Amino acid sequence: MYLAYIPSPSTGVLHLGPLPLRGYAFCIIIGVFVAVWYGGKRWVARGGKVGTVADIAVWAVPFGLVGGRLYHVITDYQLYFSEGQNWVDAFKIWEGGLGIWGAIALGAVGAWIGCRRRGIPLPAYADAIAPGIVLAQAIGRWGNWFNQELYGKPTDLPWALEISAAPNREAGLYHPTFLYESLWCVGVALLVVWADRRFTLGHGRVFALYVAAYCVGRGWIEYMRVDEAHHILGLRLNVWTAALVFLLAVTYIVISARVRPGREEVVEPETGTAEGIAGPVADGGAEDDTAGTKADKPDKADKADKEGQGDRPGTKAAAKTGTADEAGEAAGEAGGKGDGVPAGAETAEKS
């Protein structure tokens, strides 16, 4: 009798009236929300706009789900297209069966479409959402616990997973490989966040580090699983896939660091800034320049106008000149003789 083990749910479906809530789908949905939420926080911290990650996720998530299901169906085609199987089951995604390799590959295509529509570089977006994606994987793996699938070899460890009898499985205690991978994904998320802050990674290297680190764990966890799978040279197909993807990710990190070191300074262009800011600034600048020219730097024409104002009839200078002339004439009439000779002149003649 075992003193400790991890029990499995008796059912993977909870019913709220006529509405079934499937544990596998619930875990996937929660994982998606966590990835978008955390990816959005990282995107804004790098200078992006609020809501951009969610907008692009509208493209990436459906593509990722389709890609994950396609990979699973293609690599495990015998479960759906062999004799005695119902091919319609290939569309029952809620029963489990998503390949992370296909999900990331086709999800990247959807993300590329979304990024292209907004003028955003895909590597920068991938770096922002990488930790969120691996956290989503950590949450999504608990969907396998609800479905009692993807467990490892038999074990008597205290954390062994209890599996009940079913048409395609035997009752017993097995390695909880779903738990191993979930914990590994959390560790990868912490590693990626630390490395990003420590080394200021950019241009897709954060995402590549996530892929490489995940592949390391997936390789040995995959080796422990006992569910049916295709083998190549004695190794499960997913082990070979993990090794190949790991090499590609490491190669990208090395080449990218040499070709494009550092991190992107701008991750999201300010659409409409040139029109929205340049217009008012240009107009205001024109007004200031015009005012400054007239007030502080008068040109020759302005100076000439000011100098010539005395000669213009109706101006203040002309009014003053006219007033002085009229005063002189009045004084001459009062002090002089009828011939108009000024009094001062007459006095001079007498002396």
Side-chain angles (χ1 to χ4, degrees):
M1 179 178 180
Y2 295 97
L3 298 179
Y5 58 86
I6 301 174
S8 293
S10 58
T11 178
V13 184
L14 298 177
H15 292 274
L16 292 180
L19 180 64
L21 296 179
R22 302 184 182 275
Y24 185 88
F26 193 62
C27 291
I28 296 297
I29 293 172
I30 294 177
V32 169
F33 274 103
V34 169
V36 173
W37 168 76
Y38 189 46
K41 289 178 65 68
R42 285 175 50 84
W43 182 255
V44 172
R46 294 192 61 180
K49 297 180 182 179
V50 176
T52 296
V53 169
D55 292 343
I56 297 177
V58 172
W59 290 89
V61 172
F63 273 74
L65 291 175
V66 172
R69 189 61 176 177
L70 282 175
Y71 181 89
H72 168 72
V73 172
I74 292 173
T75 56
D76 291 312
Y77 63 88
Q78 72 281 355
L79 300 177
Y80 308 100
F81 301 104
S82 61
E83 185 178 356
Q85 302 295 333
N86 186 1
W87 62 270
V88 177
D89 293 340
F91 298 95
K92 297 179 180 180
I93 190 173
W94 55 87
E95 294 183 354
L98 288 175
I100 186 61
W101 316 111
I104 294 298
L106 207 56
V109 174
W112 175 80
I113 295 174
C115 288
R116 185 176 178 84
R117 289 169 60 89
R118 296 182 69 99
I120 294 173
L122 178 60
Y125 181 82
D127 285 344
I129 65 173
I133 290 178
V134 72
L135 286 177
Q137 291 177 239
I139 297 172
R141 272 305 176 201
W142 285 85
N144 302 133
W145 177 61
F146 281 100
N147 288 351
Q148 297 193 43
E149 60 185 0
L150 305 186
Y151 45 86
K153 300 174 182 178
T155 182
D156 57 357
L157 292 172
W159 55 83
L161 175 66
E162 181 188 33
I163 297 296
S164 60
N168 296 325
R169 61 177 184 257
E170 296 181 2
L173 297 177
Y174 300 88
H175 277 285
T177 51
F178 84 91
L179 178 60
Y180 297 162
E181 185 169 339
S182 180
L183 294 176
W184 181 267
C185 287
V186 173
V188 171
L190 296 175
L191 170 66
V192 169
V193 171
W194 171 82
D196 188 24
R197 295 177 178 177
R198 175 65 178 82
F199 302 105
T200 315
L201 302 177
H203 300 287
R205 290 187 289 276
V206 177
F207 188 85
L209 177 61
Y210 139 65
V211 172
Y214 171 75
C215 288
V216 172
R218 180 61 184 269
W220 69 267
I221 293 172
E222 188 74 23
Y223 185 75
M224 297 177 62
R225 285 167 49 173
V226 295
D227 54 297
E228 186 177 356
H230 295 286
H231 288 72
I232 300 177
L233 299 178
L235 295 178
R236 293 167 65 96
L237 174 62
N238 282 331
V239 175
W240 287 104
T241 304
L244 176 61
V245 175
F246 171 81
L247 292 176
L248 292 175
V250 172
T251 302
Y252 178 86
I253 293 174
V254 174
I255 295 178
S256 175
R258 293 180 179 179
V259 176
R260 306 187 70 180
R263 176 186 288 179
E264 301 91 338
E265 295 183 359
V266 178
V267 296
E268 186 168 3
E270 292 289 341
T271 57
T273 299
E275 298 177 1
I277 296 179
V281 171
D283 295 339
E287 292 176 359
D288 293 341
D289 293 343
T290 303
T293 302
K294 292 181 179 180
D296 302 330
K297 298 179 180 180
D299 55 16
K300 294 182 180 180
D302 293 335
K303 291 182 179 179
D305 291 341
K306 290 183 179 180
E307 292 175 355
Q309 282 180 354
D311 298 333
R312 296 179 181 177
T315 62
K316 292 182 179 180
K320 291 181 180 179
T321 304
T323 303
D325 293 342
E326 292 174 1
E329 292 176 0
E333 292 177 358
K337 297 182 178 180
D339 56 2
V341 178
E346 182 181 359
T347 305
E349 289 175 354
K350 288 182 178 181
S351 62

